[in-house]
Amino acid sequence: MPAETGEKRSVTLGEVVNEVRWDYDPGQRLLSPLVKAARFFEEFPWDGEDETGAPSSAETSADRKV
Amino acid sequence: MAGEDFWRSLYAVWSHAPAGRRREQLHRLGHEWGLLHARRVERIVQRDHGGTLREAELQMALECLLGSLAVLGLGRFDVDFALRRKGLVSIDHHHSPLARIFSDHEEPCCDPLAGLHAGFLSHLSGRQLAGVEIHCGRAPGEPCRFLIGAPNRLEKLLRPGEEAGGEVLSELQEAR
């Protein structure tokens, strides 16, 4: 799938879609790798989740710097 | 492309610094590099595809960064989201030139790559993230493993005095 060290190659969208490794698991509440990166990371629990799936702590504005 | 001489010279600059300070600085350098490189890829993607990396599908955005990394001779990587609930992203990095060059180091030595991955994901996520190498792959075919997350989250989960990432690593292996 990915290029070896130092090897230059282009990747087509078809290759990417066909080689996405993703086993759907409802328990993990993980979005498909084919959703937009922005949405995926907006919903990513960077502060961790408890057993119910709720955020374990509130996000601080200081975390958003980039 | 960064060659062996470059890496040896860079590490020599910090050779007399305490290990913690050296690793922190190499991570910081890698993080800045990752952000700069992600922005460079961003410009190419916007020029060629008319959209931003964040607007691209996650897998496509990661593949763009992955392909550009291989061109620099820094190896390739796989991203694993099995630790999502912990607030962490796991990355297996194959063919790290640092693991080969500094194979005589006793501790993990790929801090610039930890920072690089944190920089990539900081760009994609819009959050300030950090990276920690929890396993340095020095044997042939063995990848280095990094955990990427919010700095306070990493600090909380990877407590000093314990094997780096031991509990988290066990959970990752169970999830696979």
Side-chain angles (χ1 to χ4, degrees), chain A residues 1-6 16 20 27 29-30 33-38 40 43-49 59 63 66, chain B residues 54-60 63 66 70 76 81-82 84-85 87-89 95 122 124-129 153:
Chain A
M1 162 179 151
E4 291 299 323
T5 308
V16 172
V20 167
R29 304 196 312 114
L30 193 59
L34 296 181
V35 301
K36 292 187 186 305
F40 186 92
E43 298 189 14
F44 196 90
W46 292 110
D47 299 308
E49 288 180 342
E59 176 194 339
D63 289 330
V66 179
Chain B
R54 292 181 199 182
E55 290 168 332
E57 289 83 2
L58 174 66
Q59 190 70 19
M60 190 66 185
E63 290 283 352
L66 167 64
R76 63 178 179 84
F81 294 103
R84 179 181 186 277
R85 282 186 164 174
L88 300 174
V89 177
H95 309 300
S122 293
L124 281 183
S125 68
R127 282 189 69 130
Q128 182 70 26
L129 302 175
R153 188 74 184 152

Side-chain angles (χ1 to χ4, degrees), chain B residues 3-169:
Chain B
E4 182 169 341
D5 289 346
F6 168 80
W7 291 116
R8 287 198 181 279
S9 301
L10 178 66
Y11 275 56
V13 171
W14 297 100
S15 60
H16 299 296
R21 173 81 174 144
R22 180 178 69 245
R23 296 189 65 181
E24 181 186 324
Q25 290 301 317
L26 289 171
H27 177 281
R28 186 180 60 78
L29 186 144
H31 193 281
E32 289 297 315
W33 189 10
L35 282 175
L36 284 171
H37 189 69
R39 286 170 191 151
R40 187 172 168 225
V41 174
E42 182 79 60
R43 281 196 294 274
I44 295 170
V45 168
Q46 290 189 23
R47 184 195 65 202
D48 293 350
H49 301 289
T52 67
L53 275 175
R54 292 181 199 182
E55 290 168 332
E57 289 83 2
L58 174 66
Q59 190 70 19
M60 190 66 185
L62 291 173
E63 290 283 352
C64 287
L65 294 169
L66 167 64
S68 66
L69 200 69
V71 170
L72 293 175
L74 293 176
R76 63 178 179 84
F77 61 90
D78 296 320
V79 184
D80 190 334
F81 294 103
L83 292 175
R84 179 181 186 277
R85 282 186 164 174
K86 290 270 188 192
L88 300 174
V89 177
S90 170
I91 292 178
D92 280 357
H93 190 112
H94 304 265
H95 309 300
S96 163
L98 300 172
R100 175 180 54 80
I101 295 168
F102 303 107
S103 58
D104 55 334
H105 284 210
E106 290 182 5
E107 59 186 14
C109 61
C110 304
D111 298 293
L113 291 181
L116 188 82
H117 287 300
F120 281 173
L121 292 181
S122 293
H123 180 86
L124 281 183
S125 68
R127 282 189 69 130
Q128 182 70 26
L129 302 175
V132 174
E133 184 177 29
I134 59 172
H135 176 73
C136 195
R138 298 191 173 103
E142 187 184 35
C144 297
R145 180 162 292 159
F146 301 94
L147 293 178
I148 311 297
N152 57 349
R153 188 74 184 152
L154 282 174
E155 197 174 329
K156 180 180 176 185
L157 291 174
L158 307 180
R159 298 181 189 89
E162 296 179 5
E163 182 187 349
E167 182 188 339
V168 179
L169 189 57

